[in-house]
Amino acid sequence: DAGVTQSPTHLIKTRGQQVTLRCSPKSGHDTVSWYQQALGQGPQFIFQYYEEEERQRGNFPDRFSGHQFPNYSSELNVNALLLGDSALYLCASSLYGGITEAFFGQGTRLTVV
Amino acid sequence: KQEVTQIPAALSVPEGENLVLNCSFTDSAIYNLQWFRQDPGKGLTSLLLIQSSQREQTSGRLNASLDKSSGRSTLYIAASQPGDSATYLCAFISSGSARQLTFGSGTQLTVLP
């Protein structure tokens, strides 16, 4: 089992550009959640996808959007990048309902210049 | 707003010591609580999951306890080793409608050889 995989590992973008991050969940899991982690802080919830629909959303602007595919993999899209979007973006997979352990990928380090 | 506080923010101990990391939360109606380890610039590794009906979980040298009535969880690490050096994060899922993990800012642990 490869666990949760994210791509790319690192990314550098220019302010105003758009970026897409990808996540494949752990085998057997059906729910993908995305988190943003600024340096020195705990991760902040962005949104959660289950059955290809956004089920929960944190306090993030509409510039942040996502998608879940039939194979449960997911994408996070961020438009009109700001310097403040620079962070580690983490993907978590779990079974829907929050009963089971959440497993995280290694993250994508996004730097906006 | 639900909050999670982790004390201390940083801790440095000599190898072999037993230590306790603390996590307090404002929402007593939690569904489960999970402890994670994060190495610098990396993703999160799940250590222990405690369901709301449980009071503690053990894995090797790690023991986590949960006291919902007081809003506290502790992670006990026995016989610490330099390889235990990392940031330790606690997070909970509320038993309300939200299914996201709410994180503390973590405790940065350094175990000195």
Coordinates of all heavy atoms in Angstrom, one line a residue, chain B residues 12-16 80-83 85 110-113:
Chain B
S12 N 12.9 20.5 25.3 CA 14.2 19.9 25.0 C 14.6 19.0 26.2 O 14.6 19.5 27.4 CB 15.3 21.0 24.8 OG 16.5 20.4 24.5
V13 N 14.8 17.7 26.0 CA 15.1 16.8 27.1 C 16.3 15.9 26.7 O 16.6 15.7 25.5 CB 13.9 15.9 27.3 CG1 12.7 16.7 27.7 CG2 13.6 15.0 26.2
P14 N 17.0 15.4 27.7 CA 18.1 14.5 27.5 C 17.5 13.1 27.1 O 16.4 12.7 27.6 CB 18.9 14.4 28.8 CG 17.9 14.8 29.8 CD 16.9 15.8 29.1
E15 N 18.3 12.4 26.3 CA 17.9 11.0 25.9 C 17.6 10.1 27.2 O 18.2 10.2 28.2 CB 19.0 10.4 25.1 CG 18.7 9.0 24.6 CD 19.8 8.4 23.8 OE1 20.9 9.1 23.7 OE2 19.7 7.3 23.2
G16 N 16.5 9.3 27.1 CA 16.2 8.4 28.1 C 15.1 8.9 29.1 O 14.5 8.1 29.8
S80 N 12.7 8.4 26.0 CA 12.8 9.1 24.8 C 14.2 8.9 24.1 O 15.2 8.6 24.8 CB 12.7 10.6 25.0 OG 13.6 11.1 26.0
Q81 N 14.2 9.0 22.8 CA 15.4 8.7 21.9 C 15.6 9.9 21.0 O 14.6 10.6 20.6 CB 15.2 7.5 21.1 CG 14.9 6.2 21.9 CD 14.5 5.0 21.1 OE1 14.4 5.1 19.8 NE2 14.3 3.9 21.7
P82 N 16.8 10.2 20.5 CA 17.0 11.3 19.6 C 16.1 11.2 18.3 O 15.7 12.2 17.8 CB 18.5 11.1 19.2 CG 19.1 10.5 20.4 CD 18.1 9.6 21.0
G83 N 15.7 10.0 17.9 CA 14.9 9.8 16.8 C 13.4 10.3 17.0 O 12.6 10.4 16.1
S85 N 12.8 13.2 18.1 CA 12.8 14.6 17.8 C 11.9 15.0 16.6 O 12.1 14.4 15.5 CB 14.2 15.1 17.6 OG 15.0 14.9 18.7
T110 N 12.8 18.2 21.1 CA 14.2 17.9 20.8 C 14.7 16.9 21.9 O 14.7 17.3 23.1 CB 15.1 19.1 20.7 OG1 14.5 20.0 19.8 CG2 16.5 18.8 20.4
V111 N 15.2 15.8 21.5 CA 15.8 14.8 22.4 C 17.3 14.8 22.2 O 17.8 14.5 21.1 CB 15.2 13.4 22.3 CG1 15.8 12.4 23.3 CG2 13.7 13.4 22.4
L112 N 18.0 15.2 23.2 CA 19.5 15.4 23.1 C 20.2 14.1 23.4 O 19.9 13.4 24.4 CB 19.9 16.5 24.0 CG 19.3 17.8 23.9 CD1 19.6 18.8 25.0 CD2 19.7 18.4 22.5
P113 N 21.2 13.7 22.6 CA 21.9 12.4 22.8 C 22.8 12.6 24.0 O 23.2 13.7 24.4 CB 22.7 12.2 21.5 CG 22.7 13.5 20.8 CD 21.5 14.3 21.3

